[in-house]
Amino acid sequence: MNTISKACVAAALISWSLAGMAAEPIKIGVSGPFTGGSAPMGVSMRDGVKLAVADINAHGGVLGRQLQLVERDDEAKNERGVQVAQELINKEKVVGTVGFINTGVALASQRFYQEAKIPVMNNVATGSIVTKQFVGPDNKDNYVFRNAANDTIQSAMIVDEAVVRQKHTKVAILADSTNYGQLGREDLERALAAKGIKPVAVEKYNLKDVDMTAQLLKAKQGGAEVVLTYGIGPELAQIANGMEKLNWKVPIIGSWTLSMGNFIDNAGKNGDGARMPQTFIQDPSSPKRKAFIEAYQKAYKIDRMPSPVSAAQGYDSVYLLAAAIKQAGSTDGVKVREALENLNGTVDGVVTSYTKPYTHDDHEAIKPNMVVIGEVKGGRVVLAK
Amino acid sequence: MEILLQLVFSGIALGMIYAVIAFGYQLTFATSGTLNFGQGEALMLGALVGLSLVGNIHGGPYLNYWLMIPVVIVFGALQGVVVEWIGVRPALKIKSEFGWIMSTIALAIIFKNVAENIWGKDDLTFPTPLSATPFQVFGANVQPMQIVVVLGALAMMLAVEMFNRKSIYGKAVVATSNDRDAAGLMGINTSMVITFSYALSSATAAFAGVLVAPLTLTGATMGTSLGLKAFAVAIIGGLTSGMGAIVGGLILGVAETLTGFYISTGYKEVPGLVLLLLVLAIKPAGLFGKTAIKKV
């Protein structure tokens, strides 16, 4: 017997014995930006997902099989997201994917999951139309699910905070020029119109803009008493710092991204007091949350989570998907979707306990009563009083 | 009125940043007829090296902000020398017309990737040496650091101009830029002068980097758009004129903030680029440039 055939026999023996020990793992895709301006959200989400998978695997996995993650960095770019989706579906043959931080990436990529009949869990992207992209006469079933507070919920809360609780009537909107910012701006304008308010200034800016003077001056000249924002960390910090340059101090209230570590760090004291809707605050208010925060801090050796909301929602998305696979008793995409739309029992998550989170026509797990207002205070996000 | 003044002040601070980088472009163009398309990256590297010295990211702070500046300038000069040796000298030697374009762009990409690996892809804050609280000038708000940017940029450009006019070495630079072959025949080591001009140009960019870093965020990607804007400034002002760099920078900076306020923030970058097209169409050598006569 020559060396090659010996090696072949050995390899066959090893794989046979491995197959005897454990069934093939269940592959789950993870797609998000792990680099760039959105990275605090993507990395936290991925780390939350990894914690959940480690927990589930330590308890025997799902259907007697281990969960295996396939992580891909979509760099917050739509075209990268499309490549990642195709690779995860066609090459890696994932059972489902969790992720999508950026609304634009979600809208560009989830078509492939819809066509392949594989469920995809948006655990961070908040654009209102994300889960409605494939609703309508042409699509009998929708494979896009979400467990994040969508922009319809958030914009209503932002406006509520600004207009009802803080009693401002003159508001300015500053939103970035991405899909996320512009769709959010539309939601904000709708929510303001419902209260009979027309913003005194609606301005946009590009990613990487270093000078916000023109936008802020317009808001200031319009007599704005509050600035509502829709953007991500680094540019939000430029807004807060730009206000200092103009010696103009009004409250900033905006979408949940004001809780990102790169906003809090780069804005420093100028970011103090900024308020935003949050599904999860790094505050051990329940035993489940306490355990999650401690596990996260221990696993990644940090004190402050870069984006607690993303971590918690990422963690929960895996549990929701795992529960559906268990109930379906199969990894077939159609059966998993049906199970998700009709989940029995309660899935105990970090954000909340999910009882029947989805139906055939409602793919939003987070309802308005699960969201609170957070406030930046001393470099952290705390519950607003 | 105060609004206009506020916009003009912000535009001037922004424009001076462009001007310093544009000044670097024209330093190397004068002596060698080549440009470093990695000027933006030279600025980024200067800012990040400065941040490692004064920030707390790599175990620092090691130095005070003002003491860090000379170190960064020396670093910038060395980086410029590297670019000239690797990217430009071989192209000049074989009399390649365009080889240096690709090689300086290639080096810029390499520098950016290296920086991403050392400092990460995230934006970082640069500690400011001065109070960030603005003071009032005729009703408009100005931050102390904005003044430092403008004065620092002007001082540096003035220093380089004085050096070129007064010192014997500077005269060698001027001679080389006027007629490289004749200067060579007069015993001037022209390739040394070209290396020197690259060192000077990257040093100015590195200096600009640590000047603007406290006003903007610092990160591996900060150089790309600034470098491109500054290139437009160098073309508008003229590649052969230091004055042109300043005036071009101010025009572009002020045009951006004014358009942002009076027209639309969505069109902020349009007028500067329209101006660029106009200059190229009407006075291709730039507003202050001398028309070069190309001998064939």
Side-chain angles (χ1 to χ4, degrees):
Chain A
M1 216 197 260
N2 62 21
T3 347
I4 294 172
S5 51
K6 266 185 202 160
C8 285
V9 170
L13 278 174
I14 290 169
S15 57
W16 177 75
S17 62
L18 279 178
M21 280 186 329
E24 209 179 308
I26 296 175
K27 278 189 177 179
I28 293 178
V30 183
S31 171
F34 306 141
T35 52
S38 298
M41 300 186 275
V43 170
S44 298
M45 180 277 288
R46 179 190 65 191
D47 290 348
V49 165
K50 277 158 79 174
L51 277 183
V53 167
D55 281 356
I56 292 173
N57 284 343
H59 290 95
V62 180
L63 308 177
R65 293 159 68 182
Q66 296 278 295
L67 296 182
Q68 186 191 348
L69 292 178
V70 188
E71 297 165 21
R72 291 287 181 274
D73 182 3
D74 63 31
E75 298 167 25
K77 292 179 186 146
N78 299 358
E79 66 279 10
R80 266 304 283 159
V82 168
Q83 285 174 352
V84 166
Q86 287 171 315
E87 188 192 340
L88 289 175
I89 294 167
N90 299 323
K91 182 159 162 278
E92 300 291 344
K93 312 262 181 233
V94 295
V95 170
T97 287
V98 299
F100 295 142
I101 305 300
N102 307 87
T103 296
V105 178
L107 292 176
S109 322
Q110 54 197 17
R111 175 164 63 88
F112 299 95
Y113 293 94
Q114 177 74 17
E115 281 165 5
K117 293 195 186 344
I118 292 175
V120 55
M121 298 282 298
N122 279 281
N123 51 23
V124 177
T126 58
S128 294
I129 63 168
V130 165
T131 50
K132 303 197 179 69
Q133 199 178 8
F134 302 107
V135 173
D138 304 342
N139 299 284
K140 197 162 72 62
D141 298 312
N142 181 6
Y143 284 82
V144 181
F145 294 84
R146 165 153 59 196
N147 64 317
N150 68 37
D151 286 341
T152 312
I153 297 177
Q154 289 195 46
S155 54
M157 289 184 74
I158 295 167
V159 169
D160 205 49
E161 174 71 25
V163 176
V164 180
R165 285 182 61 183
Q166 300 193 7
K167 302 200 169 28
H168 299 300
T169 49
K170 293 191 163 178
V171 304
I173 301 178
L174 262 65
D176 72 26
S177 56
T178 66
N179 273 357
Y180 174 66
Q182 291 307 305
L183 290 170
R185 173 188 56 76
E186 286 174 18
D187 282 323
L188 273 180
E189 285 183 299
R190 261 196 295 276
L192 282 170
K195 296 254 185 284
I197 289 177
K198 196 178 177 319
V200 295
V202 179
E203 298 304 317
K204 72 172 168 186
Y205 55 85
N206 295 321
L207 296 187
K208 294 274 158 210
D209 267 4
V210 296
D211 189 89
M212 299 278 182
T213 310
Q215 288 92 333
L216 287 168
L217 263 183
K218 273 192 153 172
K220 190 182 174 189
Q221 281 319 102
E225 300 158 351
V226 58
V227 169
L228 310 185
T229 60
Y230 246 93
I232 59 166
E235 290 79 25
L236 292 172
Q238 289 286 9
I239 292 176
N241 295 340
M243 282 182 167
E244 186 186 37
K245 272 184 214 173
L246 293 180
N247 208 1
W248 182 51
K249 188 73 189 158
V250 295
I252 301 176
I253 305 172
S255 60
W256 74 280
T257 40
L258 281 167
S259 68
M260 286 170 72
N262 55 11
F263 166 74
I264 298 173
D265 291 341
N266 289 326
K269 65 173 173 43
N270 299 331
D272 257 11
R275 292 190 168 197
M276 74 308 275
Q278 298 277 279
T279 56
F280 177 80
I281 288 173
Q282 189 181 341
D283 172 28
S285 53
S286 71
K288 177 92 187 169
R289 290 189 165 195
K290 185 164 188 280
F292 171 69
I293 293 168
E294 280 168 5
Y296 191 101
Q297 286 170 329
K298 192 161 153 258
Y300 306 109
K301 297 186 179 52
I302 50 155
D303 178 41
R304 190 188 75 193
M305 300 157 90
S307 175
V309 170
S310 312
Q313 289 170 179
Y315 184 88
D316 285 3
S317 67
V318 175
Y319 270 96
L320 287 167
L321 191 60
I325 295 173
K326 200 187 276 175
Q327 186 177 319
S330 153
T331 55
D332 178 60
V334 179
K335 288 187 181 143
V336 175
R337 173 187 58 76
E338 283 169 356
L340 269 174
E341 288 172 348
N342 190 23
L343 273 182
N344 302 324
T346 301
V347 177
D348 205 12
V350 186
V351 170
T352 183
S353 284
Y354 302 89
T355 313
K356 292 241 177 290
Y358 303 111
T359 65
H360 184 267
D361 299 317
D362 178 9
H363 282 193
E364 302 276 358
I366 302 291
K367 307 291 188 277
N369 62 0
M370 300 171 190
V371 193
V372 296
I373 294 279
E375 180 180 328
V376 177
K377 209 170 192 179
R380 283 183 179 262
V381 177
V382 297
L383 191 67
K385 296 234 165 56
Chain B
M1 191 60 212
E2 278 140 39
I3 298 291
L4 182 66
L5 210 58
Q6 181 73 65
L7 289 166
V8 170
F9 284 161
S10 286
I12 288 174
L14 191 65
M16 283 315 276
I17 299 172
Y18 298 154
V20 190
I21 313 174
F23 186 71
Y25 279 120
Q26 60 104 5
L27 279 179
T28 62
F29 187 79
T31 55
S32 61
T34 61
L35 299 168
N36 178 5
F37 281 99
Q39 275 296 90
E41 274 64 30
L43 170 132
M44 173 273 290
L45 281 178
L48 285 172
V49 167
L51 181 62
S52 285
L53 292 173
V54 299
N56 50 12
I57 50 166
H58 289 142
Y62 299 102
L63 285 176
N64 164 295
Y65 178 87
W66 309 106
L67 289 176
M68 168 272 293
I69 290 179
V71 179
V72 167
I73 290 179
V74 171
F75 169 83
L78 292 176
Q79 190 253 346
V81 171
V82 170
V83 170
E84 202 271 340
W85 278 353
I86 299 176
V88 181
R89 184 167 292 198
L92 288 180
K93 201 170 276 171
I94 59 167
K95 302 236 184 292
S96 155
E97 281 265 356
F98 303 114
W100 53 270
I101 297 179
M102 274 325 290
S103 54
T104 54
I105 292 175
L107 281 170
I109 296 172
I110 292 171
F111 286 133
K112 193 172 122 207
N113 285 339
V114 169
E116 281 175 350
N117 281 305
I118 298 177
W119 288 279
K121 289 185 181 178
D122 277 338
D123 290 321
L124 306 159
T125 29
F126 204 99
T128 86
L130 298 171
S131 152
T133 321
F135 57 87
Q136 302 255 317
V137 181
F138 306 117
N141 292 291
V142 182
Q143 277 181 314
M145 202 59 209
Q146 287 175 311
I147 305 269
V148 172
V149 168
V150 174
L151 292 183
L154 283 175
M156 186 202 57
M157 288 189 257
L158 198 67
V160 172
E161 288 289 320
M162 291 298 282
F163 172 82
N164 280 351
R165 297 218 177 130
K166 301 285 178 210
S167 77
I168 182 82
Y169 302 102
K171 290 194 171 116
V173 173
V174 175
T176 307
S177 48
N178 278 339
D179 188 336
R180 188 167 146 216
D181 290 335
L185 290 173
M186 297 307 286
I188 292 172
N189 185 344
T190 55
S191 66
M192 182 84 111
V193 169
I194 290 170
T195 309
F196 175 73
S197 70
Y198 263 83
L200 208 55
S201 116
S202 284
T204 57
F207 177 60
V210 291
L211 271 189
V212 304
L215 287 179
T216 66
L217 297 177
T218 323
T221 49
M222 74 184 284
T224 319
S225 71
L226 282 178
L228 197 68
K229 291 267 180 66
F231 188 61
V233 165
I235 301 291
I236 292 172
L239 270 167
T240 50
S241 160
M243 193 59 181
I246 298 177
V247 175
L250 295 183
I251 291 177
L252 195 68
V254 173
E256 277 187 12
T257 52
L258 289 185
T259 320
F261 186 81
Y262 290 110
I263 301 174
S264 157
T265 39
Y267 286 116
K268 207 163 59 119
E269 280 155 28
V270 172
L273 298 174
V274 168
L275 183 67
L276 172 74
L277 294 175
L278 279 179
V279 167
L280 282 177
I282 295 164
K283 197 168 182 303
L287 295 177
F288 289 79
K290 292 184 292 239
T291 312
I293 303 157
K294 193 163 186 181
K295 285 157 275 191
V296 183

